[in-house]
Amino acid sequence: MISAKKAVFFLCVDPIDHVAGAVFRAVKDVFSPEETDIVVDGNRALRSADGNGNLVYFVPTRKVVSHDYVRYLPEMRRAFADCDIAGIVTWHAGENAPDRIFTAHTTGDVASGNFGPAAPEYMRNVLLAMESGRREEGLDEFRVTTEATHWSGMVYGGGSPGMIPEFSVPMIDVEIGSAPESWSDERAARVLAKSLGSVFASDGRRVRNLLCAGGVHFDPNFAGAVFQTWDDCAFGVSHILANQWLVSGCYEDATGEERLERCVGSIAGGIEGIAFHDNLKGVYKDRFRALGEKYGVPVFKHQALRRPEAIAWAD
């Protein structure tokens, strides 16, 4: 008998978060979740079951969890350490950030080499559900994308990057961006809410996990790989190590190899390939080629993602 899976999503219902409050209201409308005995910030966590008996918890908080990780981490570990996947629902903003997006990214501080656990299959399920929901709602002006691995706790003083791996559950940030009109779109909030409930809804394809390296924060090549399928396979995109943080983190130095190995070790099921952006400097390409040789997986330029059937997979 296959045991039921569990997911937990944290949603800051204070107006400081421009998105999560509306998504939480949509969650209650779509799923009619039941109250639980778990209390965080004076609010009871809610719980819903999907058609296969898998449980999804929705936890209303007063601050964005990663912005006050020191305070939230002990409760996360106490109440949700047995979950298969976790997520923080929030807004996306930033200078030159694209607008009208649904986005997800894994948690980690690339420069220091502190990577949160990653579950590519579940992240893919959420992204596919976003795309399906976007189409159903007629949100033609929106698109679904990925972001490079990062941790907003670094920006908001939520704690030290060494705390990231202390939560053993794979974590993703799930966001709507990047301007007020998009944040306040109730249709977008409903799409995001429904996608959370689909975290365990697989399309049944074999997921070949990738480590992605180089490129920009919103790199279209790695985002596009999420929706690429061939035969009965698909890519599992999770940790994406953007060029800027490989450079600032000096991954060419003696500790670069160790940090990359920690990254690979954080990805559930390991990796079956390494895709690097063609513009990556040679010293970093060599680092990833050596990593691929160690793990016995193909290492290839990002252009190969468009022809996955031609990649020399190890099996």
Side-chain angles (χ1 to χ4, degrees):
M1 180 177 179
I2 300 176
S3 60
K5 301 182 183 70
K6 293 172 64 175
V8 59
F9 293 98
F10 301 94
L11 305 95
C12 173
V13 294
D14 188 277
I16 191 174
D17 191 303
H18 306 297
V19 164
V23 175
F24 187 65
R25 291 190 294 272
V27 160
K28 291 191 287 185
D29 181 58
V30 171
F31 300 112
S32 299
E34 62 180 2
E35 288 190 345
T36 71
D37 293 331
I38 301 172
V39 178
V40 179
D41 287 346
N43 295 318
R44 289 186 181 273
L46 306 183
R47 181 178 63 196
S48 179
D50 67 15
N52 294 312
N54 301 310
L55 301 177
V56 183
Y57 289 80
F58 305 99
V59 183
T61 62
R62 289 300 171 190
K63 296 186 72 174
V64 180
V65 163
S66 54
H67 298 185
D68 198 359
Y69 213 59
V70 172
R71 183 164 69 87
Y72 286 112
L73 180 59
E75 181 63 18
M76 293 163 62
R77 296 176 68 179
R78 185 193 68 80
F80 301 108
D82 62 341
C83 286
D84 298 276
I85 182 70
I88 298 173
V89 177
T90 186
W91 81 100
H92 184 271
E95 187 177 357
N96 300 320
D99 193 20
R100 292 181 171 84
I101 57 170
F102 297 105
T103 182
H105 68 83
T106 52
T107 299
D109 177 54
V110 177
S112 67
N114 285 286
F115 297 96
E121 181 177 0
Y122 299 146
M123 180 169 165
R124 177 175 181 268
N125 291 345
V126 170
L127 290 163
L128 292 185
M130 287 178 180
E131 177 63 15
S132 176
R134 180 193 70 79
R135 294 174 182 271
E136 289 177 2
E137 290 288 344
L139 291 172
D140 297 334
E141 68 275 24
F142 276 74
R143 62 188 172 94
V144 178
T145 186
T146 55
E147 293 179 67
T149 298
H150 67 284
W151 186 53
S152 59
M154 295 291 293
V155 177
Y156 290 91
S160 68
M163 298 179 69
I164 297 171
E166 292 184 18
F167 188 48
S168 61
V169 178
M171 175 82 80
I172 56 175
D173 279 22
V174 188
E175 306 169 2
I176 296 173
S178 297
E181 185 177 350
S182 298
W183 299 333
S184 62
D185 193 313
E186 292 186 0
R187 299 169 301 165
R190 189 161 53 248
V191 168
L192 205 57
K194 289 181 178 180
S195 72
L196 304 182
S198 298
V199 64
F200 298 123
S202 170
D203 64 359
R205 294 182 183 274
R206 173 180 176 179
V207 178
R208 291 186 178 271
N209 294 345
L210 296 179
L211 173 61
C212 298
V216 296
H217 189 71
F218 286 96
D219 198 281
N221 301 287
F222 301 140
V226 171
F227 304 104
Q228 182 73 269
T229 61
W230 71 102
D231 299 330
D232 199 31
C233 297
F235 289 124
V237 177
S238 56
H239 284 317
I240 301 173
L241 313 184
N243 181 72
Q244 67 189 79
W245 288 313
L246 291 171
V247 173
S248 65
C250 300
Y251 267 72
E252 70 277 12
D253 73 15
T255 66
E257 180 180 356
E258 178 187 353
R259 283 177 284 166
L260 289 178
E261 289 180 6
R262 287 207 299 269
C263 181
V264 173
S266 72
I267 300 174
I271 60 171
E272 293 191 58
I274 299 173
F276 63 76
H277 199 281
D278 197 22
N279 289 337
L280 198 63
K281 289 185 177 180
V283 64
Y284 301 117
K285 290 179 181 178
D286 289 343
R287 182 70 83 186
F288 286 103
R289 290 188 181 107
L291 187 70
E293 183 176 356
K294 177 169 184 173
Y295 286 94
V297 301
V299 181
F300 45 85
K301 298 178 181 180
H302 72 267
Q303 292 92 338
L305 294 169
R306 304 187 199 110
R307 296 185 298 108
E309 66 281 353
I311 295 173
W313 301 105
D315 60 357

